[in-house]
Amino acid sequence: MKMASSDSRLQQLPSQKDAADQNFDYMFKLLIIGNSSVGKTSFLFRYADDSFTSAFVSTVGIDFKVKTVFPALLEPDDTAGQERYRTITTAYYRGAMGFLLMYDITNQESFNAVQDWATQIKTYSWDNAQVILIGNKCDLEDDRLIPTEDGQRLAEDLGFQFFEASAKDNINVKQVFERLVDVICDKMNESMEGDMSILPNHRNQGLKDSSSDSQGSCAC
Ligand code: GTP
Ligand code: MG
């Protein structure tokens, strides 16, 4: 069950029933995590709706959108970064196949917190969950506090892939989601010999609808 949100923009989200009505081979549940205000909700809205607002309405609990990347349905869930919702959000980790762990390149605290978020993933998530580290707000070059190399180094240390991105200027948003799907598929092929039926959210409904609102494809 999804938590209600204080964010009026999220009233426009498709219902979970809409998602269930679609036909797709696989469902990849993804979580976007990171400190409050790093841009998780903005990133999701840019990806799913190609929209952006400079207003900041902090997320309560969890919200979600769905997006088809043929032949999979992505369910990227947007989590609240505020500490008081931590118990709610960690309860969702187990079902997620991939994480977008986000910090803000203009916010040192959000970068310092990456290690803690990574520990949370290791503690609460499915063992094979894949993670991409994202330095968001790369449009704010003048206010940058975290050099690109520091983000790269941290991602290497943690064994994650790394992107800098901007929800505002639509830089690397689609690419991040597509890369995450790719690494999930690669991991499946590599460690489970392509047996997708072991996925936590696998559905075998038959493939009817080949339409996709993304150019990304799954090369599983
Ligand atoms: P919580 O819901 O509290 O966890 O925060 P959040 O991570 O969802 O942050 P949100 O997406 O609400 O964005 C916080 C603020 O940062 C908003 O004012 C956004 O407009 C702004 N913002 C988000 N992404 C970007 C970006 O790429 N560039 C710039 N310049 N601002 C951004
Ligand atoms: Mg939010």
Side-chain angles (χ1 to χ4, degrees), residues 25-29 72 94-97 126 128 184-185 187-189 191-192 194-203 218 220:
D25 270 6
Y26 310 112
M27 182 163 178
F28 289 172
K29 191 163 176 301
R94 179 59 58 183
M97 306 187 56
W126 182 51
N128 283 308
I184 290 169
C185 290
K187 183 70 183 175
M188 293 299 110
N189 287 338
S191 63
M192 286 97 187
D195 179 8
M196 302 297 277
S197 63
I198 57 91
L199 301 184
N201 288 301
H202 176 262
R203 297 184 184 193
C218 175
C220 303

Side-chain angles (χ1 to χ4, degrees), residues 7 9-10 37 39-42 56-60 78-81:
D7 189 340
R9 290 174 295 170
L10 295 169
S37 91
K40 300 178 297 296
T41 300
S42 306
F56 177 27
V57 184
S58 198
T59 303
V60 174
D78 169 33
T79 61

Side-chain angles (χ1 to χ4, degrees), residues 5-184:
S5 170
S6 60
D7 189 340
S8 61
R9 290 174 295 170
L10 295 169
Q11 307 299 318
Q12 303 151 15
L13 290 176
S15 69
Q16 204 151 17
K17 181 174 175 301
D18 292 338
D21 285 347
Q22 295 183 36
N23 285 284
F24 48 87
D25 270 6
Y26 310 112
M27 182 163 178
F28 289 172
K29 191 163 176 301
L30 313 173
L31 275 188
I32 311 176
I33 63 172
N35 274 17
S36 183
S37 91
V38 297
K40 300 178 297 296
T41 300
S42 306
F43 203 79
L44 181 61
F45 271 77
R46 172 60 75 192
Y47 178 62
D49 284 352
D50 200 16
S51 65
F52 178 82
T53 169
S54 54
F56 177 27
V57 184
S58 198
T59 303
V60 174
I62 306 253
D63 272 298
F64 81 111
K65 276 187 174 288
V66 293
K67 181 117 174 148
T68 306
V69 178
F70 178 79
L73 178 84
L74 297 190
E75 186 189 323
D77 286 12
D78 169 33
T79 61
Q82 289 184 44
E83 183 71 39
R84 61 191 153 137
Y85 302 120
R86 205 56 59 83
T87 314
I88 299 170
T89 54
T90 51
Y92 278 77
Y93 282 32
R94 179 59 58 183
M97 306 187 56
F99 289 82
L100 302 180
L101 201 178
M102 185 174 290
Y103 67 91
D104 170 353
I105 66 154
T106 71
N107 181 323
Q108 183 72 49
E109 201 184 318
S110 73
F111 184 69
N112 297 344
V114 166
Q115 181 69 59
D116 284 347
W117 286 108
T119 304
Q120 296 234 3
I121 293 172
K122 286 201 172 66
T123 307
Y124 297 108
S125 82
W126 182 51
D127 284 349
N128 283 308
Q130 301 297 299
V131 188
I132 293 182
L133 180 65
I134 302 166
N136 191 37
K137 308 196 186 180
C138 71
D139 56 288
L140 298 175
E141 195 54 54
D142 292 348
D143 301 322
R144 177 191 285 274
L145 291 177
I146 315 298
T148 305
E149 304 72 49
D150 288 11
Q152 263 161 350
R153 200 172 314 116
L154 180 58
E156 265 171 42
D157 290 349
L158 293 167
F160 302 159
Q161 298 216 8
F162 175 68
F163 283 84
E164 284 193 344
S166 167
K168 184 177 182 200
D169 286 0
N170 199 8
I171 299 167
N172 274 342
V173 177
K174 199 172 97 181
Q175 288 84 343
V176 161
F177 281 99
E178 290 178 0
R179 177 63 63 85
L180 186 53
V181 169
D182 280 349
V183 294
I184 290 169

